[in-house]
């Protein structure tokens, strides 16, 4: 089924591309959010990914490789978005003041916050390696291909990130 949609989209069928985009948008957004740690940046990366996919789809050689090809484009879009945001500088948003959380829930929240702080300290490349390996379940060889890096570099990034 997906192969037929990909082939139709490769021939310029807007409806087929729309169906492919709709089927993969949530997963693309989830992966981009995990890599970039910013919903706005993730939205921009997904939008850029879908634009690039539509533009480059006629050059895809094997319709069966659409999924990995899509992940590779998303990874590059996330890198580009992270680079662009670094050049623009940090965006500061004020959070509303509210009462402290109930103490019963403090431990799980503190653990989640500590995990988020640790994840934010990683470079985009290291976060990407973790997301592709542990969230998407890609083998290390596929991770290396998706990131466009040698296998040894992929193993090293995983080791340092974990």
């Amino acid at each position: 089924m997906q192969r037929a949609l990909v082939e139709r989209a490769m021939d310029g069928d807007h409806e087929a591309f729309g169906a492919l985009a709709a089927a993969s948008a949530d997963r693309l957004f989830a992966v981009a959010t995990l890599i970039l740690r910013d919903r706005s940046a993730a939205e921009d990366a997904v939008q850029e990914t879908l634009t690039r996919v539509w533009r480059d789809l006629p050059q895809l050689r094997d319709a069966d490789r659409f999924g990995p090809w899509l992940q590779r484009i998303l990874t590059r879009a996330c890198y580009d978005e992270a680079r662009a945001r670094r050049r623009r500088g940090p965006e500061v948003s004020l959070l509303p003041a509210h009462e402290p959380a109930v103490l019963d829930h403090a431990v799980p929240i503190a653990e989640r916050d500590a995990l988020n702080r640790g994840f934010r300290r990683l470079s985009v490349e290291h976060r990407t390696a973790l997301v592709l390996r542990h969230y998407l379940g890609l083998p290390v060889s596929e991770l290396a291909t998706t990131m466009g890096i040698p296998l040894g570099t992929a193993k090293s990034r995983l080791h340092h990130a974990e």
Side-chain angles (χ1 to χ4, degrees):
M1 165 96 175
Q2 181 166 347
R3 179 181 174 82
L5 276 176
V6 172
E7 288 173 344
R8 286 182 27 220
M10 289 170 71
D11 291 334
D13 184 334
H14 291 274
E15 288 182 25
F17 180 74
L20 286 171
S24 57
D26 288 341
R27 184 175 180 127
L28 292 174
F29 181 70
V31 171
T33 302
L34 287 169
I35 291 171
L36 295 169
R37 307 304 291 172
D38 180 318
R39 292 179 61 85
S40 175
E43 289 170 354
D44 291 345
V46 170
Q47 181 66 39
E48 181 61 26
T49 297
L50 293 174
T51 302
R52 289 178 189 178
V53 167
W54 175 250
R55 183 192 65 211
D56 297 342
L57 195 55
Q59 284 81 40
L60 179 63
R61 288 179 267 166
D62 182 3
D64 291 328
R65 299 289 302 158
F66 177 76
W69 180 72
L70 180 64
Q71 287 295 45
R72 199 166 25 259
I73 292 174
L74 176 65
T75 299
R76 289 183 189 133
C78 287
Y79 286 171
D80 293 346
E81 186 62 30
R83 249 189 318 277
R85 291 199 180 240
R86 269 196 304 264
R87 282 193 303 267
R88 287 193 302 257
E91 294 177 9
V92 177
S93 61
L94 299 176
L95 300 175
H98 59 346
E99 296 298 315
V102 178
L103 293 178
D104 300 356
H105 305 291
V107 173
I109 292 171
E111 289 173 354
R112 185 189 67 220
D113 288 345
L115 184 61
N116 279 333
R117 281 193 306 276
F119 207 60
R120 283 186 186 275
R121 287 187 191 124
L122 295 173
S123 70
V124 173
E125 293 82 8
H126 287 93
R127 280 196 307 263
T128 301
L130 281 176
V131 169
L132 293 176
R133 178 72 178 125
H134 296 290
Y135 181 75
L136 295 179
L138 296 181
V140 179
S141 59
E142 181 82 19
L143 179 149
T145 302
T146 299
M147 293 180 70
I149 57 176
L151 181 61
T153 304
K155 289 179 180 180
S156 174
R157 285 188 184 164
L158 274 175
H159 174 74
H160 290 289
E162 295 174 331

